[in-house]
Amino acid sequence: MTERKLSVRMFGGFTASYGDEVLTFGRQRNSKFGQLFQILMTRPGKGFSKEEIAESLYGEEAVEDLNASLNNTIFRLRKYLKESPLPSGDYLVLDGGIVRFAGDIQVESDVHIFEKEAREFAEEQNRRRKAEICERACELYQGEFLPQLANEQWVIERSRNYQKLYNRMLEYLLRYLKEEGDYRNVEKTAARAARLSPNEGWEIWQTDSLIALGRHKEAGKVYQQIAEHAQEMGGFLSQKQQTQLREVGSRIHQPEGTEKDIGRCLMESGVPEGAYACTLLGFLDCFRMLKRALARGGYCGLCPVPVHHTGCKRPPCKGEGILRAAGRKAAQILSELSAQGRHLYQVQR
């Protein structure tokens, strides 16, 4: 038989259960003694000073006697725990002004585990193990910390901190998966993140991965949703998000790739060094372009024209690679050479 444990979830909402039995905390789920329990569950077994707890629970309220109010809250929580599904025992320990949750039961808190994973992430040096830690931590994060208490100052501060930790680890995980070429998991992870935390830019990661997977229609739909939402928000996107959105948009409209991508694909490789260091097809293309340029520009005077195929990374060829031509005579020469090139090409075929 599996040992029962107290399981507490505070990301995306609040639930507390012991085995199959739920701790309801009465009708007032947002009561002070319920919040005291939640504070203690952020670090089960660890102590909190009464001053720290009082500041969290009553910091912005006009309370005449903070100590008396806190003692009353502790009493109410202790009474509730005795009536709860938990086994009999004294779970609230108050010693020297320090309050902690104790007992002989196993406690599992998603927030506590998340903080532990975040510390391990910061200390780990191995890329793969860091990514594994990020994956576990991001699975724990199911949404905003205690959203039903979003107006409480102590919740606001913690929620902001957890959000930063989550974003940091999630971005590391996405970058790692992209570097590994695992676009399926990039899309899956980014889609989940976009559902949990919209307006954070995770949709751009999702769109980018869909394009890499060749799923352009799905990418277009997600991109359209991003654009429509940006308009609804009045276009309030960060500079980084705007740049990413433009890049993704250009890739959607040019699924075969950007100009740089096309250039890399067309770049000839393995061309030997020399004055006419290009293939026959590249040679023909160069002369066709020169011919058009001279036809449009007319007499260009005596000027050096480098014969150099598109995409070559070397500087323009020198020596006999420089064709010195002028006016109509140059056009005639180019025309003849182009015809000879076509003839050679047909012979080779």
Side-chain angles (χ1 to χ4, degrees):
M1 182 177 177
T2 305
E3 182 181 359
R4 294 202 294 177
K5 59 186 175 183
L6 174 59
S7 179
V8 181
R9 298 288 178 267
M10 290 181 277
F11 284 130
F14 173 67
T15 60
S17 59
Y18 182 68
D20 296 330
E21 300 181 86
V22 178
L23 281 69
T24 61
F25 291 89
R27 295 180 180 178
Q28 297 179 328
R29 292 178 58 84
N30 300 335
S31 61
K32 293 299 183 184
F33 77 89
Q35 291 186 49
L36 172 59
F37 176 81
Q38 291 160 346
I39 291 173
L40 296 175
M41 285 299 102
T42 60
R43 297 201 307 259
K46 306 296 182 181
F48 292 81
S49 69
K50 292 182 68 176
E51 291 79 7
E52 181 182 359
I53 296 174
E55 178 63 27
S56 297
L57 294 178
Y58 309 104
E60 297 186 353
E61 299 180 14
V63 178
E64 293 183 2
D65 192 339
L66 281 177
N67 188 59
S69 297
L70 180 56
N71 286 338
N72 181 58
T73 301
I74 294 172
F75 171 79
R76 293 182 63 196
L77 178 57
R78 183 178 283 123
K79 180 181 178 181
Y80 171 77
L81 293 176
K82 286 182 179 180
E83 299 170 353
S84 73
L86 298 179
S88 299
D90 189 7
Y91 294 101
L92 282 189
V93 176
L94 177 57
D95 183 21
I98 302 297
V99 184
R100 63 188 178 90
F101 185 91
D104 296 329
I105 61 173
Q106 183 181 351
V107 181
E108 183 182 84
S109 164
D110 59 346
V111 169
H112 182 59
I113 299 173
F114 180 84
E115 289 183 344
K116 179 176 176 290
E117 298 284 10
R119 289 193 296 270
E120 291 183 5
F121 166 75
E123 296 170 0
E124 182 60 62
Q125 299 298 319
N126 182 273
R127 286 180 63 253
R128 181 179 61 81
R129 287 196 288 270
K130 282 178 79 77
E132 291 173 351
I133 293 170
C134 292
E135 187 173 9
R136 292 196 300 268
C138 291
E139 283 294 325
L140 284 170
Y141 192 89
Q142 296 293 323
E144 183 183 353
F145 174 69
L146 294 176
Q148 74 279 6
L149 296 174
N151 293 326
E152 298 288 341
Q153 187 60 38
W154 73 272
V155 173
I156 293 172
E157 294 172 359
R158 286 180 175 272
S159 181
R160 187 183 299 119
N161 182 52
Y162 294 141
Q163 181 77 46
K164 288 180 180 179
L165 292 174
Y166 170 71
N167 289 350
R168 189 179 306 156
M169 289 186 282
L170 177 59
E171 185 166 357
Y172 184 93
L173 176 60
L174 290 172
R175 291 191 181 280
Y176 174 82
L177 292 172
K178 184 176 180 179
E179 290 170 3
E180 294 294 310
D182 190 356
Y183 288 101
R184 293 187 184 279
N185 273 325
V186 171
E187 192 276 329
K188 178 182 175 181
T189 304
R192 177 183 179 275
R195 289 192 299 270
L196 293 177
S197 303
N199 311 322
E200 293 291 334
W202 307 123
E203 297 89 346
I204 297 175
W205 282 89
Q206 182 187 5
T207 308
D208 189 61
S209 60
L210 286 170
I211 294 172
L213 291 168
R215 294 155 59 182
H216 299 290
K217 288 186 178 179
E218 295 177 60
K221 290 180 180 179
V222 176
Y223 176 81
Q224 184 66 27
Q225 292 172 0
I226 300 173
E228 290 176 356
H229 186 71
Q231 289 180 348
E232 292 174 0
M233 297 292 291
F236 293 115
L237 294 176
S238 67
Q239 191 67 35
K240 180 180 178 181
Q241 289 176 344
Q242 291 179 30
T243 302
Q244 291 175 327
L245 193 60
R246 281 194 295 269
E247 291 176 355
V248 171
S250 66
R251 291 190 63 189
I252 290 175
H253 293 108
Q254 301 179 46
E256 69 281 356
T258 62
E259 292 85 350
K260 292 183 180 179
D261 296 330
I262 296 172
R264 283 194 293 268
C265 292
L266 295 179
M267 187 180 295
E268 300 164 352
S269 59
V271 179
E273 297 285 346
Y276 299 99
C278 62
T279 64
L280 177 60
L281 291 176
F283 177 81
L284 289 173
D285 288 339
C286 287
F287 272 100
R288 288 192 183 104
M289 286 189 292
L290 288 171
K291 183 178 178 180
R292 292 192 192 101
L294 288 170
R296 292 174 182 176
Y299 181 74
C300 65
L302 191 61
C303 59
V305 181
V307 178
H308 186 63
H309 70 84
T310 304
C312 183
K313 293 183 178 180
R314 295 186 296 276
C317 307
K318 297 181 180 179
E320 61 267 38
I322 300 295
L323 175 64
R324 296 185 179 275
R328 296 181 179 178
K329 183 65 176 175
Q332 180 183 352
I333 294 172
L334 291 175
S335 178
E336 293 174 357
L337 288 174
S338 180
Q340 292 175 13
R342 284 196 299 272
H343 175 69
L344 289 173
Y345 179 64
Q346 292 172 356
V347 170
Q348 287 188 358
R349 293 184 64 187

